Amino acid sequence: MAHEPNNYSATQENTNLTAPSPRFNGAGGAPLEKDFSNNGNPYHLGANHDSDDALKRIQTAGSISISPELFEKLYLTPQNRVHGDLRKTFGNPTPLALIGFLLCLSPLSCDLMGWRGAGGNGAAGIGSYFFFGGLLMVLGGIGEWILGNTFPFVVFSSFGAFWLTWAATLQPFYGAYAAYSTTSNPADGINTVGFRSSFAFFFLAMGLMCFIYLICSLRTNIVFFLIFLTLVIAFGCLAGAYWNLNLGNVALAVRLQTTAGACTFVTSACGWWIFFAIMLAALDFPFQIPVGDLSHIIRGASERARDNAKNV
């Protein structure tokens, strides 16, 4: 991924990017941990620096800044100006939300495809939908909100709510499908036209939401773009599967559900890739895996305005 320092000349001056200020070994000793603040220092840690080079720069320069590419890999959002030192105080909440998402979607995608006899709309995973998908993604969203990262805050919080909604719908206690049952068995409500048509509109709305996220992800990276692209297709197929069941097109409905499962399987694969990339970057591993930075392709409005002002 090419680094274009001119596009980020303003954000390079931001002293509130990620990690804590360094602790020192006694008065004037060498720093014990990295300081990602810039403080006017020209030394800069990019994605292509190994840990030894980073350590030398830290020991000699006292502080470094974090490259825009690495920042966008860690936080799934372009660099932005945030007041205060919260990014120096708190850990990165992004991988927490991602792992909550993946540990729900990965098994559900296999359920939708019916692998090894799985099925039941993933009802066996209700617990994980509540405590991994719902809890961890909402906590991750709150963490992103505290740090001032609007896009991942909205994405993680909305998907946390999705998992809670999915779990509550499948949980008999909430009576979502029981309200449609015309027999003494509440579970019969799942197979009614009213329930399936109503729930399909929820999938349609989720697909619209993911389409908006898809457009916004053009400012992040290719992996994130693929995640939302496959989710848009998956939610559309799920809505179509429910409506075709109501029309009696069982074979087509099964194919649409299987297609949705295949799409979410690709979503999960992309999610595991970016989770791995973030964890490697967070621990300053000597090697990194690419995520396909897109932020330098579609430049922000503030960057364009700054460059136009320079040309005047």
Side-chain angles (χ1 to χ4, degrees):
M1 294 179 291
H3 174 49
E4 298 181 6
N6 290 336
N7 295 347
Y8 293 92
S9 57
T11 56
Q12 294 298 325
E13 298 172 1
N14 186 7
T15 60
N16 304 318
L17 293 182
T18 52
S21 298
R23 298 192 302 266
F24 291 85
N25 266 327
L32 295 178
E33 59 188 37
K34 291 181 289 184
D35 174 17
F36 287 96
S37 63
N38 199 0
N39 294 326
N41 194 287
Y43 292 89
H44 183 85
L45 178 61
N48 59 333
H49 289 95
D50 58 28
S51 56
D52 291 337
D53 185 47
L55 182 60
K56 291 176 183 177
R57 289 173 179 270
I58 294 165
Q59 290 176 336
T60 57
S63 66
I64 58 175
S65 64
I66 189 170
S67 70
E69 293 87 353
L70 188 57
F71 183 92
E72 286 143 14
K73 181 184 291 186
L74 286 169
Y75 289 99
L76 307 180
T77 185
Q79 285 184 352
N80 55 350
R81 288 185 173 274
V82 178
H83 296 291
D85 295 332
L86 294 180
R87 286 176 181 160
K88 296 181 180 181
T89 305
F90 297 106
N92 182 6
T94 302
L96 177 69
L98 280 175
I99 198 62
F101 178 74
L102 292 171
L103 287 178
C104 290
L105 188 63
S106 298
L108 179 59
S109 63
C110 299
D111 290 344
L112 292 174
M113 290 185 289
W115 283 2
R116 302 188 66 84
N121 291 318
I126 287 179
S128 64
Y129 305 151
F130 276 119
F131 297 107
F132 271 101
L135 180 61
L136 293 190
M137 293 203 75
V138 169
L139 288 176
I142 293 173
E144 299 284 5
W145 171 66
I146 291 173
L147 297 180
N149 300 326
T150 302
F151 182 56
F153 153 59
V154 176
V155 170
F156 294 154
S157 299
S158 59
F159 272 98
F162 165 77
W163 290 117
L164 291 173
T165 301
W166 184 271
T169 302
L170 296 174
Q171 176 62 253
F173 171 78
Y174 290 95
Y177 49 80
Y180 293 88
S181 177
T182 57
T183 68
S184 58
N185 183 9
D188 289 339
I190 295 179
N191 297 318
T192 62
V193 172
F195 174 80
R196 287 192 296 234
S197 291
S198 299
F199 205 47
F201 282 112
F202 174 63
F203 289 135
L204 193 64
M206 286 295 300
L208 175 60
M209 181 188 75
C210 288
F211 179 74
I212 296 173
Y213 292 162
L214 174 68
I215 302 302
C216 296
S217 68
L218 290 170
R219 283 275 290 145
T220 57
N221 57 67
I222 293 175
V223 179
F224 219 33
F225 176 83
L226 291 176
I227 285 175
F228 289 122
L229 177 62
T230 51
L231 284 175
V232 169
I233 299 172
F235 282 123
C237 288
L238 286 174
Y242 275 60
W243 284 328
N244 275 280
L245 276 176
N246 289 342
L247 296 174
N249 301 325
V250 178
L252 178 57
V254 171
R255 288 197 299 270
L256 286 171
Q257 179 176 303
T258 303
T259 303
C263 287
T264 54
F265 187 83
V266 175
T267 304
S268 300
C270 293
W272 285 111
W273 179 271
I274 202 166
F275 174 76
F276 187 36
I278 291 173
M279 295 304 291
L280 290 176
L283 293 173
D284 194 24
F285 257 65
F287 66 91
Q288 302 290 322
I289 58 177
V291 295
D293 175 52
L294 295 175
S295 61
H296 63 282
I297 297 176
I298 301 180
R299 299 172 58 203
S302 59
E303 297 168 13
R304 292 175 180 271
R306 187 170 59 248
D307 289 344
N308 290 336
K310 290 180 179 179
N311 294 330
V312 173

